[in-house]
Amino acid sequence: MDLLTPELGLFFWTLLAFLAVFFILKKFAWGIILKSLTERETGIAESIAAADRVRKEMSELKNENEKLMAQAREERTAMLKEAKDTRDRIVNEAKDAAKAEANKIVADANQQIQQQKMAAMTEVKNEIGKLAVEVAEKILRQQLSGVDAQSAYAELISENAKLN
Amino acid sequence: MIFKRFLPFITVLLITLSGVSFSASANEEKTKEEGKFNATEVIFGHIRDSHYWHLFDINGEPVAMPLPVIIYDNQKGFSFFSASYFHHGHEAYNGYMIDPKNQMKEKIILENAANGQKIYDFSITKNVLSMLISVVIMIWLMTGAASKYKKNGVMKAPSGFQNALEPVITFIRDEVAKPNLGNKYMSYMPLILTVFFFIWINNLLGLLPGGANFVGNITVTACLALVSFVVMMANSNKHFWSHLLNPPGIPFAIKCLLVLIEIMSLIIKPVALMIRLFANILAGHIVIICIISMIFIFGALSKFAGWGFMPVSLAFTMFMFLLELMVAAIQAFIFANLTAVFIGQAIEEGNGHEEHHAHEASH
């Protein structure tokens, strides 16, 4: 039973030592260690979060870059196409203009030809008319007695009236 | 990494194993001297507190370090002298002597008890000295680790003893304090850590050959249990007491009984803490010394039986030492954990707890 009876001296020293070690360690060890552990844990968690964020930002940047590149490529293609179109248009316009000019020249020439032809024809017609009037005048001026004389005269005139 | 983490454990293990043969040879000397092996005396000599730090015997002469004796006498006041004056309990000094009839304790008594004379023994005994050594070790280790955090900064990888300490501290924090103490756990962490390391380191020191049976002393466990009980009471809140003295939703007659049981359980909690730790560590010490003593019990029958039993006994002792190494940590953990549980019960806030209990009671 003596094993189960506490001793005052040992109790006193144990309590004293335990309380002393508790307060000393609380002040000089546990506080610092626990604070450091917590700080490190939050620090590590924050670092991981920051790294994740940076990685995400990087991938976003990369995506953006790719998008920009694609856009630039598209723009280049569009510009090239536009340039080609412009060139074609200018060439075509020039061609059309040239053709129109040519056509106009031809048309003008035709018109002139036509005019001169018409003028020539009119002149000819006038000449023929004058001739006919002259013939008729000659016929009328002659005394036409007989049929034979008349027809011989007409024949003569018409023979004279040959144009060339 | 794994090796480094377990380095302290391995060191302790090697030292204890090497101590097996050492203590065995120490006992052998005794056997030769007395001719007769007294197992009871050996066993109690190992587990009891002492005013000497006994190491071994040489040719019948004990090699022991006498420890200071401090006695408060209500008539003579304090007296302070070395235990060597007792000459291993054979002589009286200054009117004080070691009780020769009490085998379980080295109790200092008055040689001639006068009227109303009473003495109080505050000696630095083997247990006290062992504890003081453990306290020095603890303060040295922990403040050393703490200064590393200060010196190296928080974000540097831990090195050396920090590596051994950190998993234990985070284990206590995450497995003991957080689940039991809720969000106020940080303010109880120093206490729980101190309790845990105090018990663990003293357990390990007790396992060293020649070590004191400090934690296996009911005084010590009573002291620790008292500390956790006082902390529990000092931090107990209104909810705890109202629940204890007036459990809701229970008929009056049962309530009387229940309150009685609750109050009893309140007292039983620290008592259970005290006895569990005491009995576990004491049992370990007794079993180990018993198994070693068996060599000499067999040796007393016949020399060959003694030698023949030695390998068996050593194998058992080694097994027990390994077991005790485990028990040393487990019991420290259990004590710390139960302290946390009890404090947790005392500081618990009754958020929706009432309805839960009332609901339970209605069934």
Side-chain angles (χ1 to χ4, degrees):
Chain A
M1 218 23 218
D2 269 339
L3 268 180
L4 292 176
T5 50
E7 296 143 60
L8 179 67
L10 185 57
F11 187 88
F12 167 75
W13 288 115
T14 309
L15 192 61
L16 192 72
F18 181 83
L19 292 179
V21 83
F22 169 66
F23 286 113
I24 290 173
L25 288 185
K26 188 182 181 184
K27 183 146 174 43
F28 295 109
W30 301 138
I32 298 163
I33 294 175
L34 288 170
K35 205 174 128 244
S36 305
L37 285 180
T38 316
E39 262 174 38
R40 188 195 298 160
E41 272 161 18
T42 51
I44 288 171
E46 271 167 19
S47 301
I48 290 172
D52 270 348
R53 206 170 49 236
V54 167
R55 197 160 49 223
K56 211 188 265 174
E57 270 168 23
M58 284 292 285
S59 75
E60 260 168 33
L61 264 178
K62 210 178 145 199
N63 278 351
E64 215 167 296
N65 276 352
E66 267 169 17
K67 226 190 306 182
L68 272 177
M69 286 284 284
Q71 213 174 331
R73 247 194 312 267
E74 230 166 76
E75 257 169 43
R76 191 191 61 181
T77 317
M79 274 163 80
L80 277 177
K81 195 166 166 278
E82 207 179 324
K84 202 169 158 242
D85 286 353
T86 313
R87 188 196 64 185
D88 286 355
R89 205 185 63 232
I90 289 170
V91 169
N92 282 343
E93 270 173 14
K95 262 187 199 164
D96 288 350
K99 208 185 267 177
E101 194 68 21
N103 282 351
K104 200 178 145 207
I105 290 168
V106 170
D108 280 354
N110 273 351
Q111 209 179 353
Q112 236 160 356
I113 290 167
Q114 206 70 26
Q115 256 171 9
Q116 282 181 2
K117 195 173 113 183
M118 287 301 285
M121 286 287 277
T122 315
E123 212 173 320
V124 170
K125 274 179 192 165
N126 288 347
E127 207 65 34
I128 290 171
K130 230 190 272 174
L131 264 176
V133 171
E134 271 175 25
V135 169
E137 200 184 80
K138 275 176 185 169
I139 293 171
L140 287 175
R141 275 190 193 164
Q142 274 196 345
Q143 277 177 338
L144 300 173
S145 51
V147 177
D148 289 340
Q150 277 180 13
S151 57
Y153 191 67
E155 230 168 275
L156 181 81
I157 292 168
S158 66
E159 258 169 41
N160 288 345
K162 263 181 191 167
L163 290 171
N164 46 0
Chain B
M1 276 305 283
I2 289 168
F3 178 74
K4 221 174 172 190
R5 185 176 292 179
F6 287 106
L7 196 60
F9 302 91
I10 293 165
T11 318
V12 170
L13 184 71
L14 289 178
I15 292 167
T16 44
L17 290 184
S18 68
V20 174
S21 55
F22 169 74
S23 48
S25 65
N27 289 330
E28 204 164 27
E29 301 280 349
K30 206 173 230 169
T31 326
K32 269 181 199 161
E33 179 238 329
E34 289 173 349
K36 190 166 160 277
F37 180 70
N38 185 349
T40 318
E41 207 217 293
V42 169
I43 291 164
F44 281 107
H46 272 80
I47 61 169
R48 77 178 166 211
D49 202 358
S50 173
H51 291 281
Y52 293 88
W53 199 308
H54 180 263
L55 297 170
F56 47 86
D57 290 1
I58 293 176
N59 298 326
E61 282 299 310
V63 176
M65 185 169 65
L67 300 170
V69 175
I70 303 165
I71 291 173
Y72 178 73
D73 190 321
N74 62 356
Q75 289 179 3
K76 286 194 258 178
F78 276 106
S79 44
F80 184 88
F81 56 93
S82 164
S84 60
Y85 290 111
F86 286 134
H87 293 279
H88 296 278
H90 300 305
E91 285 175 29
Y93 177 77
N94 207 10
Y96 307 117
M97 60 181 283
I98 291 172
D99 190 354
K101 279 173 274 179
N102 193 337
Q103 211 177 28
M104 289 185 180
K105 267 185 189 171
E106 269 189 31
K107 204 172 179 185
I108 293 177
I109 53 169
L110 289 160
E111 199 179 12
N112 305 301
N115 256 359
Q117 194 177 5
K118 263 191 168 177
I119 56 167
Y120 301 96
D121 184 0
F122 289 104
S123 305
I124 306 294
T125 58
K126 186 182 177 183
N127 279 346
V128 174
L129 186 60
S130 165
M131 175 193 66
L132 292 178
I133 292 170
S134 80
V135 163
V136 169
I137 291 174
M138 236 174 120
I139 290 173
W140 175 60
L141 285 177
M142 305 309 171
T143 51
S147 71
K148 257 188 182 172
Y149 285 102
K150 262 189 177 168
K151 197 179 73 189
N152 293 344
V154 174
M155 290 310 282
K156 198 170 174 209
S159 62
F161 188 67
Q162 277 178 302
N163 276 323
L165 198 60
E166 267 184 26
V168 181
I169 289 176
T170 46
F171 173 76
I172 295 288
R173 189 192 60 191
D174 296 340
E175 306 297 325
V176 176
K178 268 185 196 169
N180 292 318
L181 295 168
N183 48 15
K184 277 183 272 179
Y185 73 95
M186 251 315 173
S187 49
Y188 298 98
M189 272 301 284
L191 176 79
I192 292 163
L193 282 173
T194 313
V195 165
F196 177 76
F197 281 103
F198 189 79
I199 296 172
W200 194 21
I201 290 177
N202 274 302
N203 278 343
L204 292 178
L205 281 184
L207 283 177
L208 293 175
N213 176 30
F214 174 69
V215 188
N217 191 310
I218 200 153
T219 315
V220 174
T221 59
C223 180
L224 293 173
L226 184 76
V227 168
S228 68
F229 184 68
V230 167
V231 173
M232 180 189 169
M233 287 296 102
N235 292 288
S236 56
N237 57 14
K238 219 174 107 190
H239 171 256
F240 171 76
W241 286 107
S242 74
H243 225 257
L244 193 139
L245 298 174
N246 186 20
I250 291 168
F252 181 73
I254 300 172
K255 199 182 267 183
C256 292
L257 195 67
L258 207 64
V259 166
L260 201 69
I261 293 170
E262 287 279 358
I263 290 171
M264 269 166 64
S265 85
L266 194 64
I267 310 297
I268 287 170
K269 274 173 192 169
V271 173
L273 269 184
M274 169 179 84
I275 291 175
R276 180 185 299 109
L277 183 60
F278 157 72
N280 269 290
I281 304 305
L282 181 69
H285 279 254
I286 290 178
V287 167
I288 287 173
I289 192 67
C290 278
I291 292 171
I292 292 176
S293 296
M294 279 169 92
I295 299 175
F296 305 100
I297 293 167
F298 278 98
L301 297 174
S302 138
K303 206 174 179 180
F304 299 108
W307 281 107
F309 193 72
M310 199 176 73
V312 182
S313 175
L314 286 187
F316 266 119
T317 315
M318 267 190 243
F319 171 73
M320 280 310 296
F321 261 116
L322 292 173
L323 196 67
E324 283 308 304
L325 275 179
M326 210 166 76
V327 168
I330 289 172
Q331 288 303 323
F333 163 69
I334 289 174
F335 198 99
N337 196 31
L338 287 178
T339 301
V341 169
F342 295 156
I343 295 172
Q345 285 171 353
I347 63 170
E348 190 184 20
E349 300 289 345
N351 297 334
H353 222 66
E354 245 77 3
E355 295 87 80
H356 177 66
H357 272 266
H359 184 66
E360 242 177 8
S362 67
H363 279 290

